[in-house]
Amino acid sequence: AQRVTQPEKLLSVFKGAPVELKCNYSYSGSPELFWYVQYSRQRLQLLLRHISRESIKGFTADLNKGETSFHLKKPFAQEEDSAMYYCALSPGGGATNKLIFGTGTLLAVQP
Amino acid sequence: DVKVTQSSRYLVKRTGEKVFLECVQDMDHENMFWYRQDPGLGLRLIYFSYDVKMKEKGDIPEGYSVSREKKERFSLILESASTNQTSMYLCASSSSLVRPQHFGDGTRLSIL
């Protein structure tokens, strides 16, 4: 079955501390993985995708096929990073790119 | 910039009512999606559409239907609203397999 697991509902860190938001997936093929972010009172928006291999707002995520993980990392958290983060998987192929979302992790960066 | 517009930010309806949630996108995207977002459950796909008049069930289609008569508009219909359909509903669109989805602001629906 296709599944995305985000084990932490809430992650609380201090400003300047490293952040790692965990994401594990279950899929037999070659998925495309995404991180979406939703800031308070804003719409859900794409943060980054694994095929881009880019760093957005200091965040990076590496796809580890052996561990079926796509953890989101940032070396130094900022207060403005506080938001809900969703990991998502797109199975690829077929007629459309429907997404399977994890349950989300709320990141709270304390001053 | 892609614009996905949901007609209402907040909506309050009564049990048994027929409810329409509207979504419009302005970028000629083929794919459109309806999700509901609930605390602790994340986003769950209700229905999606990959072309005009084409629709596919998502993970939780029960109690819902959809309509895509025009490419830019994707409507979610609650045939007979129930209290367990109180939720935040998100619409999204994308242009193709390799492009990410763009989301609307959401509609917070309360069924009393």
Side-chain angles (χ1 to χ4, degrees), chain A residues 9 32 34 36 38 43-44 46 49 86 93-99 101-103, chain B residues 4 31 33 35 37 40 42-43 45 48 94 96-101 103-105:
Chain A
K9 288 189 186 300
E32 187 169 356
F34 304 82
Y36 279 81
Q38 188 170 29
R43 64 180 61 188
L44 192 65
L46 178 69
R49 52 198 300 201
Y86 291 98
T96 189
N97 62 334
K98 69 174 189 172
L99 290 172
F101 284 86
T103 52
Chain B
V4 179
N31 304 324
F33 308 82
Y35 297 88
Q37 182 182 29
L43 276 74
L45 182 64
F48 64 97
S94 70
S96 73
L97 279 176
V98 298
R99 304 306 294 174
Q101 294 183 19
F103 285 83
D105 287 326

Side-chain angles (χ1 to χ4, degrees), chain B:
Chain B
D1 204 17
V2 177
K3 186 72 174 177
V4 179
T5 304
Q6 293 181 232
S7 55
S8 305
R9 290 298 301 273
Y10 302 94
L11 206 53
V12 180
K13 296 291 182 180
R14 295 200 176 277
T15 303
E17 279 193 72
K18 190 170 186 176
V19 181
F20 292 86
L21 301 183
E22 305 287 346
C23 176
V24 176
Q25 49 92 5
D26 65 356
M27 286 301 291
D28 203 36
H29 285 173
E30 284 80 19
N31 304 324
M32 296 188 75
F33 308 82
W34 274 107
Y35 297 88
R36 60 178 284 176
Q37 182 182 29
D38 298 289
L41 297 176
L43 276 74
R44 293 178 292 167
L45 182 64
I46 305 172
Y47 265 97
F48 64 97
S49 168
Y50 51 90
D51 203 350
V52 176
K53 296 189 187 296
M54 306 302 288
K55 59 187 179 184
E56 291 282 345
K57 292 180 180 179
D59 300 317
I60 52 165
E62 296 78 19
Y64 303 94
S65 63
V66 290
S67 173
R68 185 120 181 250
E69 296 296 318
K70 294 185 178 182
K71 195 173 186 180
E72 67 270 18
R73 185 180 297 272
F74 192 36
S75 304
L76 180 69
I77 304 158
L78 286 66
E79 296 291 342
S80 178
S82 62
T83 55
N84 62 11
Q85 292 178 309
T86 292
S87 185
M88 171 68 86
Y89 289 87
L90 297 180
C91 175
S93 73
S94 70
S95 59
S96 73
L97 279 176
V98 298
R99 304 306 294 174
Q101 294 183 19
H102 299 267
F103 285 83
D105 287 326
T107 296
R108 187 166 291 283
L109 176 64
S110 296
I111 306 297
L112 305 179

